[in-house]
Amino acid sequence: DIVMTQSPDSLAVSLGERATINCKSSQSVLYSSNNENYLAWYQQKPGQPPKVLIYWASTRESGVPDRFSASGSGTDFTLTISSLQAEDVAVYYCQQYYSTPLTFGGGTKVEIK
Amino acid sequence: EVQLLESGGGLVQPGGSLRLSCAASGFTFSTYAMSWVRLAPGKGLEWVSAISDGGGSTYYADSVKGRFTISRDNSKNTLYLQMNSLRADDTAVYYCAKVSSKGGGCGSTSCSAAFGYWGQGTLVTVSS
């Protein structure tokens, strides 16, 4: 099984400041035949279901604000919120879809400082 | 507009059974793989099971294999999860999720699924 490890577990950032979340997979999720990383990012606000932000490690879902960006390849990935807004308070998860069992990171809780 | 509406959750004793349903609308249900994902109290998201668009291929997490069965009725646009031999650690909110066409998919031999839409979830509590 591919283990997804997120860091930090939580972070508090001032409004307008940058938030950075890391995700590491126990093996590469880069599929060589199409050069795509099978990695997604989700946002889950309190009392709501998760919402997809990013596919293929760096492709923003339509409608997602451009302050959300993501990068990385192979085993190391990053989600960045360039200027934190109050509505970004949530738990963020990475997920690999390279192979079953599909696995999520443990989540990173983002709060306002 | 895509809508996924779960039902069937509730309180059940250890060893008992429940059947969850997910009514789908707003898209051509029969052309998309579907999945169940759960969120246990104080924990993170855990993928439970997935099923291909036609229902011929199914995939399970080891933690539920042999106890849970995923199925679908494309004539009713409904996804199901039959849960047997329930344990306390199955307590969670169970979400129905539509596998995104932007993030791989589930076929006959493999399942590379990212989830584009989620229902609101249904709570399953396993306790005596």
Side-chain angles (χ1 to χ4, degrees):
Chain A
D1 298 3
I2 299 177
V3 176
M4 307 300 291
T5 303
Q6 285 183 235
S7 62
D9 292 337
S10 64
L11 75 161
V13 175
S14 300
L15 289 172
E17 296 300 305
R18 179 185 299 260
T20 301
I21 300 168
N22 299 300
C23 174
K24 187 174 183 69
S25 58
S26 61
Q27 63 189 75
S28 177
V29 299
L30 174 63
Y31 195 40
S32 57
S33 66
N34 60 7
N35 202 37
E36 293 282 9
N37 288 282
Y38 283 56
L39 190 285
W41 288 96
Y42 300 86
Q43 174 194 63
Q44 186 171 27
K45 297 181 180 180
Q48 296 185 19
K51 170 189 172 184
V52 66
L53 299 175
I54 302 284
Y55 294 103
W56 305 122
S58 61
T59 302
R60 238 185 341 262
E61 169 69 313
S62 59
V64 173
D66 60 7
R67 64 180 179 273
F68 291 92
S69 64
S71 63
S73 185
T75 61
D76 291 279
F77 302 91
T78 299
L79 175 70
T80 300
I81 310 172
S82 61
S83 176
L84 191 75
Q85 305 299 304
E87 61 265 32
D88 301 334
V89 168
V91 179
Y92 293 83
Y93 296 93
C94 60
Q95 179 229 334
Q96 66 81 17
Y97 49 101
Y98 183 88
S99 65
T100 52
L102 308 172
T103 47
F104 291 86
T108 296
K109 186 174 186 179
V110 174
E111 299 173 307
I112 305 295
K113 185 187 289 183
Chain B
E1 179 192 3
V2 172
Q3 292 196 353
L4 300 169
L5 183 61
E6 302 95 337
S7 60
L11 175 64
V12 61
Q13 293 188 335
S17 298
L18 274 179
R19 187 197 201 198
L20 306 184
S21 299
C22 171
S25 61
F27 64 103
T28 306
F29 181 72
S30 62
T31 63
Y32 286 89
M34 298 292 295
S35 190
W36 291 96
V37 179
R38 67 186 181 184
L39 181 66
K43 302 210 171 169
L45 295 169
E46 180 188 16
W47 171 74
V48 173
S49 183
I51 187 167
S52 60
D53 54 3
S57 296
T58 57
Y59 304 86
Y60 296 94
D62 285 346
S63 58
V64 306
K65 200 172 294 181
R67 300 187 299 123
F68 290 12
T69 302
I70 191 171
S71 62
R72 63 191 297 162
D73 186 337
N74 285 345
S75 69
K76 296 182 178 179
N77 290 347
T78 303
L79 176 72
Y80 302 101
L81 185 68
Q82 177 67 43
M83 304 187 295
N84 299 330
S85 303
L86 282 161
R87 311 185 305 221
D89 62 359
D90 294 317
T91 295
V93 174
Y94 284 74
Y95 296 102
C96 164
K98 174 179 172 283
V99 173
S100 173
S101 57
K102 299 179 185 178
C106 293
S108 57
T109 58
S110 65
C111 186
S112 300
F115 309 111
Y117 290 92
W118 301 63
Q120 290 297 313
T122 187
L123 176 62
V124 172
T125 303
V126 184
S127 175
S128 54

